[in-house]
Amino acid sequence: MMKTKNYFLKIASALFLLFAINTNANNLEITGTSVSGNDITFNISWDNSWNANVAPANWDAVWVFVKFQDCNTRLWAHTSLSTAAGDHSAASPLQVDPVADGRGVFIRRSALGGGNISATSITLKMTGLGAGPYNFKVFGIEMVNVPQGNFEIGDGTSTSSYNSISITAATQASGLTSAVIGGSSAAVPATFPMGYNAFYCMKYEISQQQYVEFLNALTYDQQKSRTFNDPISAAGTYAMFTGFNYRNGIRILTPGNNAAIPAVYACDATAGVENNSDDGQAIANSGMSYADLSAYLDWAALRPMTEMEFEKICRGTLPRVGGEYAWGTTDIVPVYNVSAGLINDFQANETYTPATNGACAVAIGSISGIYGPLKVGVFATGTSGRASSGAAYYGAMEMSGNLQERCVTTANATGTAFNGTLGDGTLTPLGDSNQATWPSPVTAIGISFKGGDYISPATQARISHRNTTVDAARYPIYGGRGVR
Ligand SMILES: [Ca+2]
Ligand SMILES: [Ca+2]
Ligand SMILES: [Ca+2]
């Protein structure tokens, strides 16, 4: 597709190798945390960061939030951070962007540029802390900025596609009728996030390591809700499935003690010793119910994305292409973990060779052997372009394929009542999300699926394909990510 090729020549000529991302997707590290009074200081590093003024004219960032643990009760809680930019500091080349609800901060490049961020010192101002003593932990999630602007929904081809219309400031301000939207959609009010306004999207699907870090900050009762096997199970018990299934290697490292002491979880995809370099830390976390996903997002102070935002993240400002995938073309080449070119299984550099336009974890025909999702960012290499890395317009990975993304749907009034309320970092005692207007974690009514997965037909991975099936349960092809 000439349009895509030109697009990358343009980026390359501006010396921003935006999608030449990485043999080590997710190489985010936060180290050396120390606390002095209300100041928390740490070093942050990650690879292949950018801040570009050529298309897609956006930047990546890390959503950083802090949890504190009462040393007496052992309970973790969410830390408030100052909403004043002047209260935080970052060494060059980074800056700290506070947010209005104080649930975290975005850390990003302060000037135009691209490349790896080596360990850079950050100090954040915490607010509202009572008397300690406390332990602190800093969490980071890589995000991509999605700027405010018009974009197109619907592609005229895909199943249940919206009508071919544009989302603009006017449509966001006035809402849209069911007839205008098409695709068996309900009317969408102005309060529903249509994707016109700027937001951030997680660069990757939630990984097994991220889910482990989440589980390890929950109570026993919360862990019990968020895993398949009870946290009191023996050391070595797999957490998400009956055994080592679908490439999910999350295991119990130390069993919990019923109701009192939570379990400790770890990655161990190559069974034996936990947390080795081949233990699947960066494999997408499969088997999540909507309750699991929404709990993760509430805990991380993010929120679910909407179906319309999904199309914005993928298509960006480019014109629709009938049947296009997240990388903007109709190229599609199914890749499985049993494919010959899939190498470095379960390692941080799991990848597919040679770089192939449209390589994607989807199904065409039947496969046999062990199967499951691939590493997040698996197709991005030092030389890949947008169509060979699988990057969506703004740099989010695996929006097509790998695991299904759960989105707030416009198919019914429960979905369209969603108003973009953000997670607040706190769950119910039983570990469920509890944010106003979020679809219920019990029923999942108001949630649908986007983007296909490693075992479903490739057509489901199209940007405009809509699957409004309601399923609250866990399933091996269900994953997800959040936005803010
Ligand atoms: Ca191991
Ligand atoms: Ca996906
Ligand atoms: Ca909450």
Side-chain angles (χ1 to χ4, degrees), residues 179-201:
V180 168
I181 301 170
S184 300
S185 178
V188 174
T191 46
F192 186 82
M194 294 184 188
Y196 172 77
N197 294 318
F199 61 100
Y200 281 93
C201 174

Side-chain angles (χ1 to χ4, degrees), residues 205 310 397-405 450-453 480-481:
E205 297 165 328
F310 182 98
M397 310 302 292
E398 283 84 50
M399 293 294 284
S400 287
N402 219 30
L403 293 175
Q404 293 275 356
E405 316 266 344
K450 289 288 282 184
D453 61 85
R481 80 183 82 198

Side-chain angles (χ1 to χ4, degrees), residues 267-276 278-279:
C267 292
D268 197 21
T270 304
V273 178
E274 291 80 2
N275 298 327
N276 286 334
D278 57 357
D279 278 329

Side-chain angles (χ1 to χ4, degrees), residues 329-371:
T329 77
T330 56
D331 298 323
I332 190 76
V333 177
V335 174
Y336 311 103
N337 67 297
V338 293
S339 295
L342 201 281
I343 59 173
N344 306 327
D345 284 34
F346 297 112
Q347 299 176 51
N349 61 352
E350 182 174 294
T351 193
Y352 179 73
T353 182
T356 304
N357 286 348
C360 182
V362 292
I364 295 177
S366 60
I367 60 167
S368 60
I370 297 170
Y371 53 89

Side-chain angles (χ1 to χ4, degrees), residues 336 361-365 404 452-461 467 475 477:
Y336 311 103
V362 292
I364 295 177
Q404 293 275 356
D453 61 85
Y454 63 86
I455 196 65
S456 295
T459 50
Q460 289 193 20
N467 174 0
Y475 203 59
I477 57 173

Side-chain angles (χ1 to χ4, degrees), residues 155-326:
D155 71 353
T157 299
S158 297
T159 303
S160 299
S161 170
Y162 291 129
N163 289 338
S164 295
I165 60 174
S166 290
I167 300 298
T168 66
T171 56
Q172 180 67 72
S174 61
L176 286 166
T177 65
S178 175
V180 168
I181 301 170
S184 300
S185 178
V188 174
T191 46
F192 186 82
M194 294 184 188
Y196 172 77
N197 294 318
F199 61 100
Y200 281 93
C201 174
M202 283 175 64
K203 196 183 285 182
Y204 307 109
E205 297 165 328
I206 296 167
S207 69
Q208 294 180 23
Q209 177 65 31
Q210 286 175 319
Y211 203 73
V212 162
E213 291 178 355
F214 161 67
L215 292 174
N216 285 343
L218 301 182
T219 66
Y220 181 97
D221 286 345
Q222 291 172 332
Q223 290 176 340
K224 186 175 163 75
S225 299
R226 300 283 67 92
T227 51
F228 178 83
N229 285 311
D230 283 356
I232 201 169
S233 307
T237 302
Y238 290 93
M240 300 304 288
F241 295 99
T242 53
F244 178 65
N245 300 132
Y246 309 104
R247 309 191 85 210
N248 195 309
I250 299 177
R251 305 178 83 172
I252 294 174
L253 181 63
T254 308
N257 183 350
N258 204 356
I261 300 174
V264 178
Y265 295 86
C267 292
D268 197 21
T270 304
V273 178
E274 291 80 2
N275 298 327
N276 286 334
S277 59
D278 57 357
D279 278 329
Q281 288 89 338
I283 306 290
N285 188 46
S286 51
M288 283 190 286
S289 64
Y290 169 63
D292 296 335
L293 173 66
S294 65
Y296 181 90
L297 299 181
D298 190 2
W299 171 85
L302 301 174
R303 66 166 173 85
M305 74 173 78
T306 70
E307 283 193 274
M308 289 179 167
E309 288 174 326
F310 182 98
E311 296 206 25
K312 171 79 172 276
I313 295 160
C314 293
R315 186 175 288 124
T317 57
L318 295 177
R320 63 179 63 80
V321 174
E324 67 186 312
Y325 297 95

